[in-house]
């Protein structure tokens, strides 16, 4: 019986296991390896960080979820991958063999690339639920003794939406507390302009987000490289379009939150610390072809943030390309079909659409965008704003958590609604990219 292993139990890994089990039935063993025994709904972390959610509201214990689906599970974590042996070394000292492997680990947070960055330094983080929980406690202390605040994303970051969400949710919370006037805020980003989002913008995200920041009294600096973060502030260099220095900034801050750059997780390194040749790019992200398959190790697939996707365009300060939720789900569906093809002795033919649907909540409003596909040029390039986005994200949070609890990757009504909107996970047969 074929053995299929998924490394990672996040927004990509869990639906991957569900789709594999549904598609393969009991004709294959499916195992998930994670370094925690719970799922966390990462898109809700900005709410946790301002005290609007508790960690337990967005966490789900995984052993019982996988048991209901007949999926084996280990929370020992992967410490090393040996693709030439088809073997994974686990944190408890055991090993796991596989016939097919899906990598869905997400990234490692590269806090060490900027002095003073991260929870162990002088900034808060919303990248993990424990980081957001720590930030919420510090938020209460800050609100009792407020002062200037700086929020943003450093050079090489690829996930910009949550930085806007956190900044504007913080403003909304400060207004509710009647202390907004005591907290001057600056948004500092490596993006070439507000609303770029690592995507070259979607619809009018530039105009909308600039307007929203003005309405919320948030100043901004773009094309910015973070040099150093201290307990008292942020030191940054703003550059011109050609990369030359435009201005050096020293921004006073009593409370700072920056999204870091990402890189691959350490289990894809060899014993001498180098990345596994042919598996990853120089940042440790997994190389894939149009079928989500690694070009060298043909029984290895990858989905989600851990995949190597080049930037959509060159920017004066380096920026990466985000991997949004629906894009990841389209990767998952293509991968499940392609593994099923291989098990049936057929060559993979399925390609993900990489369509993107995103909801960015600001507490009192929000921005939604649809990019079909996410990488330009696009067939659909749409964005909108309003309080309805806040309501939609609250509904989506509850819906997605229910999907995880019930073991469903894509309920029929979701498939029907998305199809009616022209948003598909797979490219039509016969229309695959060359």
């Amino acid at each position: 019986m074929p053995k299929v292993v998924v490394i990672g139990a996040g927004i990509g890994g869990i639906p991957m296991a569900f789709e594999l089990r549904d598609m393969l039935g009991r004709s294959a063993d499916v195992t998930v390896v994670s370094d925690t025994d719970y799922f966390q709904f990462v898109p809700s972390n900005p709410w946790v960080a301002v005290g609007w959610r508790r960690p337990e509201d967005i966490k789900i214990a995984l052993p019982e979820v996988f048991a209901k689906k007949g999926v084996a599970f280990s929370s020992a974590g992967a410490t090393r991958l040996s693709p030439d042996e088809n073997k994974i070394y686990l944190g408890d000292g055991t090993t796991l063999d596989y016939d097919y492997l899906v990598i869905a680990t997400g990234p490692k947070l590269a806090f060490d690339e900027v002095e003073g960055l991260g929870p162990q330094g002088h900034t808060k983080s919303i990248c993990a639920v424990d980081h957001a929980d720590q930030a919420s406690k510090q938020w209460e202390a800050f609100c009792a003794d407020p002062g200037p605040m700086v929020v943003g994303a450093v050079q090489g970051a690829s996930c910009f939406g949550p930085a806007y969400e956190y900044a504007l949710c913080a403003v909304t919370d400060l207004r509710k507390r009647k202390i907004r006037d005591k907290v001057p805020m600056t948004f500092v980003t490596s993006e070439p302009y507000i609303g770029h989002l690592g995507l070259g913008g979607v619809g009018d995200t530039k105009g909308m987000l600039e307007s929203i920041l003005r309405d919320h009294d948030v100043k901004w600096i773009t094309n910015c490289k973070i040099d150093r973060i201290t307990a008292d502030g942020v030191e940054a260099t703003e550059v011109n379009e050609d990369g030359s220095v435009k201005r050096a900034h020293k921004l006073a801050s009593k409370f700072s939150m920056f999204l870091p750059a990402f890189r691959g997780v350490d289990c894809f390194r060899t014993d001498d610390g180098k990345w596994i040749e042919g598996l990853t790019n120089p940042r440790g992200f997994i190389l894939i072809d149009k079928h989500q398959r690694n070009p060298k190790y043909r029984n290895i697939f990858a989905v989600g943030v851990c995949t190597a996707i080049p930037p959509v365009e060159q920017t004066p300060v380096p920026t990466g390309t985000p991997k949004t939720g629906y894009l990841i789900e389209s990767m998952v569906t293509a991968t499940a079909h392609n593994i099923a093809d291989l098990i049936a002795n057929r060559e993979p033919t399925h390609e993900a659409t990489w369509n993107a649907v995103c909801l960015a909540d600001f507490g009192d409003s929000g921005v939604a965008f649809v990019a079909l596909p996410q990488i330009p040029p696009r067939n659909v390039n749409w964005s909108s704003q309003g309080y309805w986005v806040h309501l939609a994200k609250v509904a989506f949070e509850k819906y997605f958590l229910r999907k995880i609890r019930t073991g469903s990757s894509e309920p029929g009504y979701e498939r029907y609604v998305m199809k009616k909107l022209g948003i598909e996970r797979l490219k039509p047969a016969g229309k695959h990219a060359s």
Side-chain angles (χ1 to χ4, degrees), residues 173-431:
D173 195 61
L174 290 167
R175 286 178 171 177
K176 289 178 179 178
R177 296 171 186 255
K178 311 292 187 186
I179 57 172
R180 176 68 182 95
D181 58 314
K182 298 179 181 180
V183 184
M185 183 184 293
T186 306
F187 190 86
V188 181
T189 178
S190 52
E191 298 163 275
Y193 53 83
I194 291 298
H196 181 275
L197 302 172
L199 294 170
V202 181
D204 188 31
T205 49
K206 180 180 188 294
M208 284 194 299
L209 284 169
E210 284 184 350
S211 178
I212 289 169
L213 290 179
R214 288 192 194 96
D215 288 345
H216 287 74
D217 302 308
V218 178
K219 297 179 180 179
W220 66 79
I221 307 170
T222 57
N223 274 335
C224 216
K225 173 182 176 292
I226 305 302
D227 301 312
R228 181 169 172 257
I229 300 168
T230 69
D232 302 316
V234 176
E235 299 175 14
T237 300
E238 183 182 1
V239 305
N240 294 302
E241 292 301 310
D242 63 359
S244 61
V245 174
K246 180 177 182 180
R247 185 178 298 117
H249 296 270
K250 287 191 175 182
L251 304 169
S253 181
K254 290 186 68 174
F255 196 95
S256 302
M257 196 293 295
F258 277 90
L259 294 177
F262 296 156
R263 62 172 176 258
V265 300
D266 290 338
C267 66
F268 306 127
R269 294 184 187 271
T270 59
D271 290 338
D272 59 3
K274 296 179 180 179
W275 297 111
I276 298 173
E277 185 176 354
L279 181 69
T280 79
N281 72 2
R283 289 287 294 181
F285 295 113
I286 308 301
L287 298 168
I288 55 171
D289 63 15
K290 63 185 180 181
H291 300 127
Q292 306 298 133
R293 194 180 187 188
N294 181 256
K296 180 178 180 180
Y297 299 102
R298 306 298 284 162
N299 62 339
I300 295 180
F301 294 76
V303 301
V305 181
C306 66
T307 57
I309 299 178
V312 299
E313 61 187 3
Q314 186 174 355
T315 52
V317 179
T319 59
T321 301
K323 291 94 171 182
T324 57
Y326 194 81
L327 178 149
I328 294 172
E329 292 190 67
S330 75
M331 291 179 171
V332 164
T333 297
T335 300
H337 280 78
N338 289 330
I339 290 176
D341 283 341
L342 287 172
I343 290 175
N345 294 315
R346 298 188 299 265
E347 274 301 300
T349 59
H350 295 84
E351 296 178 43
T353 56
W354 288 18
N355 288 332
V357 181
C358 186
L359 302 170
D361 171 60
F362 308 145
D364 60 351
S365 65
V367 167
F369 68 76
V370 177
L372 310 181
Q374 178 167 300
I375 309 300
R378 303 179 178 119
N379 296 312
V380 176
N381 193 38
W382 174 88
S383 58
S384 184
Q385 64 176 309
Y387 186 68
W388 69 270
V389 180
H390 168 74
L391 299 177
K393 182 156 183 181
V394 170
F396 179 70
E397 174 199 54
K398 297 181 184 302
Y399 167 69
F400 198 92
L401 289 170
R402 184 178 182 277
K403 281 208 302 184
I404 299 299
R405 291 190 182 98
T406 58
S408 176
S409 173
E410 188 184 28
Y413 58 85
E414 176 188 330
R415 189 180 303 112
Y416 174 79
V417 169
M418 297 304 261
K419 187 172 183 177
K420 281 291 186 183
L421 294 173
I423 303 171
E424 302 269 11
R425 292 190 181 190
L426 296 177
K427 292 183 179 181
K431 295 185 179 181

